[in-house]
Amino acid sequence: MARGSIIKTENKNGSITYYIKYRDPSGKQIKKAIGPRKRDAEHVLTETARKLHRGEYQKPSDVYFSELSGKWLKLKKHIRPKTFNAYKNHIDLRLNPAFGNIKIRQIRQEIIEGFMSELNSSSLSPSTRKRTLTILKSILRKAVEWGYLSRNPAEFVKSPKQTKVEMSFIGPKEMEKLIKITDDWHRALILTACYTGMRAGELLGLKWEDIDFEENKISVKRTLQQKKFYEPKSPSSKRTIIVPPIVIESLRQHKVLQSLLAGECELIFTNQKGRPINYRNFLMRVFKKALKEVGIKEIRFHDLRHSYAAALISSGENIKFIQKQLGHSSIKQTLDVYGHLLGNIEKEAPERLSKVFGTTTVLQDKTLKEIKA
């Protein structure tokens, strides 16, 4: 039986908070708020009693949130720079200003819910608010693992509802215009992006050994970010893409041009000195410039991936094939992202079905006469 007791307290707003009360090894009485569920309090009290019995008990730490968030961030040094910088921005811009000068053990669920309420009334997007809470939960979960806290005060805080953002994409004719207006050196890159749906990092990480010129296939084996190679973002992202012949022909031409200007290169898409492309420079000097020249609304480079998926869906392509081409882990993921586009092809369904099943009448003349009679 756990050593100590559980106290149920009704708060002014009508909510319930359970506390545990026990004595530490020095004999000092400790009272600690756990949360609204009695079973959580029972669990924490049992664990505390076990640690006291085994001599593993640690005094609640006075570590501040800013110190903990710094330690948490150091554990993320191995991840991709883009993701690491995103974590750091969430911490520097929102979490540390709100919690940095508060001791970890003083952070309560109601404080976090107050913070989220302010965040939800701000101009930040739902995805940014949700990501901020996810990072906060992860930091406080680590505090539990390290023994700074007995429970995560953010565990039951609900994530903000995320509204579906309207997807941007261009059609095949606009893709063709964009490809034609792009300069010779970068044309194959834009064309491959449009006709394969590959992510920017996957394209920039492509090597000539990844191209099967005979079978019209491209193998995605790595991604390039800030001059470093990484594994694809998920196991399903490591895939083989079937491409139309125009992609293979464009790459053949690009290889000849590259050998003339940059010499023999391992990477497919390089600058004219044979070095990896600076993605930011490419966006400003090539991609956005081409969009403007051809008169296409400004879209992100990543929207070419959406455009590719939309083109496949509008042509009635098999959803399983689309999933594999895009490198999604499941059909559900593909439908979650692009399912709303499927409705656009319903009007054309009867015509497609008639091509499959034909239009021959199955009613015999005798049957028709009987019906008419």
Side-chain angles (χ1 to χ4, degrees), residues 222-236:
R222 71 197 72 78
T223 182
L224 183 67
Q225 285 188 17
Q226 297 186 10
K227 299 181 181 180
K228 288 185 178 180
F229 291 109
Y230 296 90
E231 285 285 309
K233 64 180 293 185
S234 66
S236 56

Side-chain angles (χ1 to χ4, degrees), residues 76-92:
K76 307 295 179 181
K77 281 288 186 181
H78 67 285
I79 64 177
R80 302 178 188 191
K82 186 178 177 181
T83 308
F84 179 85
N85 290 334
Y87 286 162
K88 191 174 186 304
N89 285 338
H90 281 289
I91 291 170
D92 291 345

Side-chain angles (χ1 to χ4, degrees), residues 162-166 335-338 340:
Q162 222 166 326
T163 52
K164 204 92 171 178
V165 180
E166 191 66 30
L335 291 173
D336 285 345
V337 179
Y338 301 108
H340 64 289

Side-chain angles (χ1 to χ4, degrees), residues 244-257:
I246 191 174
V247 173
I248 297 299
E249 181 55 34
S250 176
L251 291 173
R252 285 186 197 277
Q253 293 177 12
H254 180 69
K255 191 169 188 178
V256 173
L257 182 63

Side-chain angles (χ1 to χ4, degrees), residues 65-176:
F65 180 84
S66 57
E67 183 183 346
L68 178 68
S69 63
K71 289 181 177 180
W72 181 87
L73 202 54
K74 283 182 180 178
L75 296 176
K76 307 295 179 181
K77 281 288 186 181
H78 67 285
I79 64 177
R80 302 178 188 191
K82 186 178 177 181
T83 308
F84 179 85
N85 290 334
Y87 286 162
K88 191 174 186 304
N89 285 338
H90 281 289
I91 291 170
D92 291 345
L93 297 177
R94 286 172 281 280
L95 294 178
N96 274 349
F99 303 103
N101 295 325
I102 303 177
K103 294 176 180 178
I104 291 297
R105 60 187 175 87
Q106 293 176 338
I107 298 177
R108 300 282 182 263
Q109 182 173 335
E110 52 264 41
I111 295 176
I112 297 170
E113 287 178 339
F115 164 72
M116 287 306 300
S117 178
E118 289 183 14
L119 218 59
N120 289 335
S121 61
S122 71
S123 59
L124 292 172
S125 68
S127 60
T128 298
R129 287 180 260 141
K130 183 177 180 179
R131 193 63 178 155
T132 301
L133 179 59
T134 299
I135 293 170
L136 176 60
K137 286 183 175 183
S138 180
I139 292 171
L140 295 175
R141 194 179 303 120
K142 185 57 68 175
V144 175
E145 291 177 18
W146 285 341
Y148 295 144
L149 293 172
S150 57
R151 64 176 291 273
N152 187 343
E155 183 181 358
F156 299 108
V157 178
K158 294 181 179 179
S159 295
K161 290 183 179 179
Q162 222 166 326
T163 52
K164 204 92 171 178
V165 180
E166 191 66 30
M167 190 179 294
S168 296
F169 57 88
I170 58 177
K173 289 184 179 179
E174 289 177 304
M175 287 184 193
E176 191 175 344

Side-chain angles (χ1 to χ4, degrees), residues 178-210:
L178 182 64
I179 292 164
K180 285 181 177 179
I181 203 71
T182 304
D183 65 87
D184 292 345
W185 184 260
H186 296 98
R187 186 173 294 121
L189 173 53
I190 296 291
L191 184 144
T192 307
C194 287
Y195 297 158
T196 67
M198 291 173 67
R199 303 174 179 92
E202 294 172 344
L203 287 160
L204 298 181
L206 276 179
K207 297 181 179 181
W208 288 112
E209 66 186 43
D210 302 326

